Structure formats: C-alpha cells, structure tokens
Amino acid sequence: MAEIIQKDGTWAFDGNTLRLTPGRDKNVGLLRRTLGELPVPLGALAGISFEQGRKAGRLRLRLREGADPLLQATGGRLAEPHDPYQLVVEPDRSGVAEYFTDEVRNALLLDQVPSDPVPEYLLPGPAVPLSVSAGDGSVSFDGERIRLEWNWKTEDAKSAAGTRTLALTDIAAVEWLPATGLENGHLRFTVRHAPTKAPAKYDPNAVELWGFKKDPLMALVAAAVQARLPHPAARDSVRDSPHDTARDRAGHERPAEPETAPGTSVAAVPEDEHDALLRRLRELGELHRSGVLTDEEFTLAKQAVLKRM
C-alpha cells in the first residue's frame, strides 16, 4: 500500500481505492473536516499530479467528468482549503509524493482506466440526513425532502411565505456558488416547471451566501441532493437518437468500437507495462540509496511492484 501522511491530511492507496483523510491542521477547510474520510475508487480517476513549490508541494487528483456529485454540484468552484482532491506536501516529503503519484499512475495504466466521462456517479455523495445553517437560511435534507427555513436576515419578500419544503422528485437541478468579491453566492434549487431568474436574495428556493465560514458546508447539501438526481449523462441520453445511445442508458445497443488499432495484439500491452515496472524498480532503488525512501517505504514499494509483475 502507498501512503503519504502530512499535517494537511493522509492519502492512502491500496491498488483499488484512494482514501483521502483530512488532517487536523488549522488550515484544513471546514468542508473537508466535515466530509471526513473520502474513498475514491480507481475507476473514478482521470489522473494525478504532483506540483513542486518553493515552500510546499501539492498533490492533485483529477476525477473523470460525472464521477463525483460534489464536483458536479459545485462546478469545480471549491476553494483550496475546502477541495478534498488537493493535499499540501511538506518539502521533505516530496520524494514520497512522487512515489505515490507514480503508484497511482501505474495502477491507472495497468487497469487501463479511461479518462473519458462516466454515465453514472462513482462516488456516493455526503451521507444524509444533513442540515446546515449559513447566509440567510437553514437547509435540511433527509434524502427525500428539502426543508428551507429563514432567519432574521432574510428579505421580507422571501420569508413571508414561511418555511418551505421541496420534494426531491420536484427538483430539476441544484447549484452551489461561492461568494466572490462583492458578489454574493447561493445554494439554489431549480424546481420543475417553475424556473426563475430572481436573485437568491428574493428566490424562495435559494439560500443567499455572503462568504462566511459555514458557506462551504452548503456545498455538501448540494452534493447530497445531486447524488440522488438523475445523472447528467442520463438526461443527455434522452435527447440522443436510439442508434447513438448505449444499451445501459436507453435499451439500444451501440456497435462496439475497437479498443486497439488494427494489427495490434493485446499481448503487446503487458510487455510495455513490464518494462515500465522494471524502470520503476530501478527508480525505487535510486530513491532508497539517496535516502529519500526509508527502508520500510522501499520494501513496501518494491513488494507492490513485484506483485504486479
């Protein structure tokens, strides 16, 4: 198993799943701490990178489009302290970060995981029931109903109708937008057959956010709702022709596309992977001799490579 432990958090990889655990450092965002350990299946990954910095490095995961309801609901707008797919790496652990990156990349290569969008969510989203208070209201979600309650800061025009309950079956979309500069953010629920362009300040189906500490927690509510709505790929398939839609989306079979070029044998792939693993063993030996990897880290890493060979 590959693992990197930092003040910012711990990432562990067993060959099938990455487990992202937030650290206890004061710089860890409230969303990450509330979300807790996040298991990410290898099949949900599109890539991983390690970026060296002057004071610290950074590990980043890139997920396949449509794999995570949190990213779907937030549109990739989570700020750095709250983004669970980033890890700050201290300068003296850059070698371990590079090794971790290589392990995940090799697994993606060996399992031939594609980087294209997925037709269903591969992560479950935050657990319910869930309740958050921020901005001009509070939102509760039990998996079937959304409850909106207002506070003393809510505009009279919006609060006059009182507490609002929305059935999940009536929701067409959900969006979380953070406050930026002088622009307020929001958590907005789009109700079927009742679209509105009113600002969140006046929209009875939205909570207005002002950029305070608990605002990112509203993204968890958005993700929990998003995970229970039809996947965007399923909605897109309704507009597709039956001849262009895969059987698992609309019941029609699409002609299979070749996965390898004509004349290319499947046996050629393992040979290339074997060469890559041999190179990896040599790299591990160099990292061990130079002192970047400890004896224990080197032994674990070598065993993982030999197991794959």
Side-chain angles (χ1 to χ4, degrees), residues 66 157 196 218 299 306:
T196 177
M218 285 292 185
T299 301
L306 292 176

Side-chain angles (χ1 to χ4, degrees), residues 240-274:
D240 291 341
S241 164
H243 300 292
D244 296 329
T245 306
R247 177 181 293 276
D248 61 347
R249 294 192 193 176
H252 300 276
E253 186 173 6
R254 180 191 301 169
E257 297 180 0
E259 296 184 356
T260 57
T264 301
S265 67
V266 178
V269 177
E271 182 178 348
D272 293 341
E273 294 170 357
H274 187 269

Side-chain angles (χ1 to χ4, degrees), residues 43 46 63-67 114-120 122 231 233 236 249:
L63 271 63
R64 298 171 66 185
E65 183 181 344
S115 59
D116 55 344
V118 295
E120 61 183 357
L122 302 180
H231 192 276
D236 293 342
R249 294 192 193 176

Side-chain angles (χ1 to χ4, degrees), residues 3 15 26-27 46 60 67 70 108-109 115 123 140 153 158 174 185 220 225-226 231 241-242 247 250 267 285:
E3 185 178 56
K26 63 180 181 180
N27 294 323
R60 296 181 190 269
L70 176 62
L108 290 170
L109 174 65
S115 59
L123 280 82
S140 301
K153 295 170 284 188
K158 186 162 83 171
V174 59
L220 295 181
V225 173
Q226 184 71 55
H231 192 276
S241 164
R247 177 181 293 276

Side-chain angles (χ1 to χ4, degrees), residues 38-161:
L38 180 62
V40 181
L42 183 65
L45 285 185
I48 183 174
S49 64
F50 173 61
E51 304 165 3
Q52 289 274 19
R54 295 181 61 185
K55 294 184 178 180
R58 192 173 304 277
L59 276 170
R60 296 181 190 269
L61 292 182
R62 183 166 57 88
L63 271 63
R64 298 171 66 185
E65 183 181 344
D68 181 21
L70 176 62
L71 294 180
Q72 189 71 38
T74 59
R77 300 184 186 96
L78 287 174
E80 178 183 307
H82 306 289
D83 187 348
Y85 302 115
Q86 297 188 38
L87 182 72
V88 177
V89 178
E90 297 159 25
D92 62 342
R93 304 306 286 170
S94 59
V96 179
E98 290 174 351
Y99 160 67
F100 188 93
T101 300
D102 287 343
E103 285 295 290
V104 176
R105 284 177 176 169
N106 288 337
L108 290 170
L109 174 65
L110 291 172
D111 286 13
Q112 299 183 21
V113 177
S115 59
D116 55 344
V118 295
E120 61 183 357
Y121 292 123
L122 302 180
L123 280 82
V128 295
L130 191 61
S131 182
V132 177
S133 296
D136 68 351
S138 299
V139 183
S140 301
F141 179 54
D142 62 5
E144 296 180 357
R145 291 173 299 278
I146 300 159
R147 183 181 174 89
L148 298 165
E149 299 180 79
W150 313 115
N151 56 39
W152 63 273
K153 295 170 284 188
T154 310
E155 281 290 316
D156 292 342
K158 186 162 83 171
S159 63

